[in-house]
Amino acid sequence: MVRTIPPERETVTGVKSQLQPVSGTTTKTASTVATDATLPNVAIDKRELEALRMLAQELHFGRAADRLRISPSKLSRTIQSLERRVGATLFARTSRRVTVTPIGQRLLDEMGPVCMEMQRVLQRAIEAGRKVEGELTIGFEAAPAGRFILAVAERFRALNPRVDVHIRQLSARDGADWRSEHFDLVLLSHPITDPAFRTGPVLITEARMLAVPARHPLAARSAATHEDLATIDLFRPPGTQVEHRVPEHTPTGRPITYAPEAHSHEEILTRVGAGQGALVVGEHATRYFPRPDVVYLPLNDAPPLEHRLAWRPGHETALIRAFATAAAHSKS
């Protein structure tokens, strides 16, 4: 099999510079090898290691270079660079033949177990990354999101019995910092602009509604628009980005004002019912939070709320990818 040497500089460290020319050994070299007794360690990157092993197998620069898919001159420079850092000749070259020196053979022999162990460690990491097993903690904001995630988690666990999925609703405090590493994934209804996060497709779509006091003049209407938002103070949804829910001004430029801060969704609806302001919510509120003192009006000129999963690409595993895929196949 032809192996292409990748560009990454994966290094093997800890090879001591104690390798010295063997007493009584003479070699003919294509160039003089310089020594540097001040080097405490020699680091060999992956390309140099492959070059060393391939040349030892072929004992011919042209054939070894062909197998490595590089030029013979580049292979020669790689070996010379390694020899300078080791401080000894690794291959004896003449016009007719290439042979491994005793020091070169010693290096190959001692590097062998190290390389094999590196391969085993890498393989174990690859296998761990591909396994669909372990634990997931998933955060969600609104009731329909929680219901959706619970349904997906149930089906996912049935197919992957070695997976534990923990579902947790974002509180007002958590919502303000939904980026917490406590969560493997979060299902959010606001746009994600943070470049540190990746988002999946839209999983839930719902209309926006305006919750108003039952005694407010707007309550007699069948629907509301963004212009109506200038006629009543608005509460900010706790722990979320308000900009995606409500702009700062109406389409005609009238300012939108906000009511004093509240600390939970239930507190806001209580204050809405008491006539202290209004709240922009998703359509699910009409089913999950019906109240005699609150009327929900469709916000006709507002785009729908879109719920998506978000996660950190740097923490992504096969388990996270598998759950995100399962959620996308179950989207409502």
Side-chain angles (χ1 to χ4, degrees), residues 19 42 49 56 74 189 217 219 226:
L19 296 173
V42 174
L49 180 59
K74 184 173 183 179
S189 62
H226 272 99

Side-chain angles (χ1 to χ4, degrees), residues 120-331:
R120 284 193 290 268
V121 170
L122 179 60
Q123 186 60 37
R124 287 195 293 268
I126 291 172
E127 291 173 356
R130 290 176 178 173
K131 285 182 179 178
V132 181
E133 63 179 36
E135 294 187 3
L136 279 178
T137 300
I138 303 173
F140 69 93
E141 287 181 316
R147 183 176 180 181
F148 173 83
I149 284 295
L150 282 170
V152 174
E154 226 175 273
R155 291 191 293 271
F156 191 75
R157 279 190 293 238
L159 295 173
N160 303 279
R162 300 181 69 178
V163 175
D164 289 326
V165 182
H166 306 285
I167 309 298
R168 176 179 168 186
Q169 184 170 17
L170 297 170
S171 65
R173 181 183 60 193
D174 291 331
D177 188 21
W178 53 266
R179 300 170 181 82
S180 167
E181 295 190 6
H182 175 79
F183 301 104
D184 298 300
L185 302 103
V186 285
L187 183 54
L188 302 171
S189 62
H190 60 75
I192 308 300
T193 57
D194 189 333
F197 281 81
R198 177 175 296 163
T199 58
V202 175
L203 301 177
I204 303 170
T205 302
E206 58 176 333
R208 296 183 199 231
M209 310 287 288
L210 182 64
V212 299
R215 295 182 304 230
H216 193 277
L218 283 174
R221 303 257 299 272
S222 60
T225 68
H226 272 99
E227 285 300 325
D228 295 317
L229 301 182
T231 66
I232 187 170
D233 288 346
L234 290 179
F235 286 99
R236 298 176 185 269
T240 60
Q241 297 178 6
V242 70
E243 307 84 44
H244 82 100
R245 295 276 179 106
V246 183
E248 300 253 340
H249 299 83
T250 69
T252 62
R254 299 163 69 192
I256 296 173
T257 59
Y258 290 95
E261 182 182 4
H263 303 285
S264 71
H265 193 76
E266 291 75 11
E267 178 189 338
I268 293 176
L269 288 179
T270 298
R271 292 171 63 177
V272 168
Q276 296 181 12
L279 175 67
V280 176
V281 295
E283 187 272 335
H284 72 273
T286 63
R287 302 188 307 274
Y288 289 94
F289 303 103
R291 294 179 61 103
D293 53 356
V294 174
V295 172
Y296 295 98
L297 301 174
L299 201 53
N300 281 347
D301 57 350
L305 286 175
E306 296 180 334
H307 301 251
R308 303 169 185 262
L309 278 174
W311 64 93
R312 295 177 180 272
H315 296 178
E316 185 175 300
T317 63
L319 179 54
I320 289 175
R321 288 192 298 271
F323 190 90
T325 300
H329 290 162
S330 305
K331 66 181 180 179

Side-chain angles (χ1 to χ4, degrees), residues 1-162:
M1 178 182 297
V2 176
R3 293 193 60 182
T4 303
I5 300 177
E8 301 94 329
R9 292 187 62 84
E10 299 179 23
T11 61
V12 181
T13 59
V15 181
K16 301 296 183 182
S17 58
Q18 296 171 347
L19 296 173
Q20 301 294 335
V22 177
S23 177
T25 301
T26 60
T27 59
K28 297 180 180 180
T29 65
S31 61
T32 303
V33 176
T35 62
D36 185 352
T38 64
L39 275 177
N41 291 284
V42 174
I44 302 179
D45 70 32
K46 188 175 181 180
R47 288 175 295 180
E48 291 173 325
L49 180 59
E50 289 292 331
L52 181 70
R53 296 172 62 184
M54 197 64 69
L55 184 57
Q57 290 177 21
E58 295 292 339
L59 296 178
H60 188 282
F61 277 86
R63 291 194 299 271
D66 285 343
R67 291 183 61 183
L68 294 169
R69 295 185 179 180
I70 60 175
S71 67
S73 60
K74 184 173 183 179
L75 174 59
S76 180
R77 290 194 300 271
T78 299
I79 297 299
Q80 288 173 10
S81 173
L82 184 55
E83 289 177 325
R84 282 193 295 271
R85 281 180 287 124
V86 170
T89 302
L90 304 178
F91 293 92
R93 296 87 135 173
T94 70
S95 59
R96 295 186 178 184
R97 61 184 300 194
V98 175
T99 57
V100 183
T101 66
I103 293 178
Q105 190 60 55
R106 175 181 169 184
L107 177 60
L108 286 163
D109 292 344
E110 294 186 2
M111 286 295 296
V114 175
C115 295
M116 290 180 65
E117 181 58 25
M118 286 180 60
Q119 290 294 333
R120 284 193 290 268
V121 170
L122 179 60
Q123 186 60 37
R124 287 195 293 268
I126 291 172
E127 291 173 356
R130 290 176 178 173
K131 285 182 179 178
V132 181
E133 63 179 36
E135 294 187 3
L136 279 178
T137 300
I138 303 173
F140 69 93
E141 287 181 316
R147 183 176 180 181
F148 173 83
I149 284 295
L150 282 170
V152 174
E154 226 175 273
R155 291 191 293 271
F156 191 75
R157 279 190 293 238
L159 295 173
N160 303 279
R162 300 181 69 178

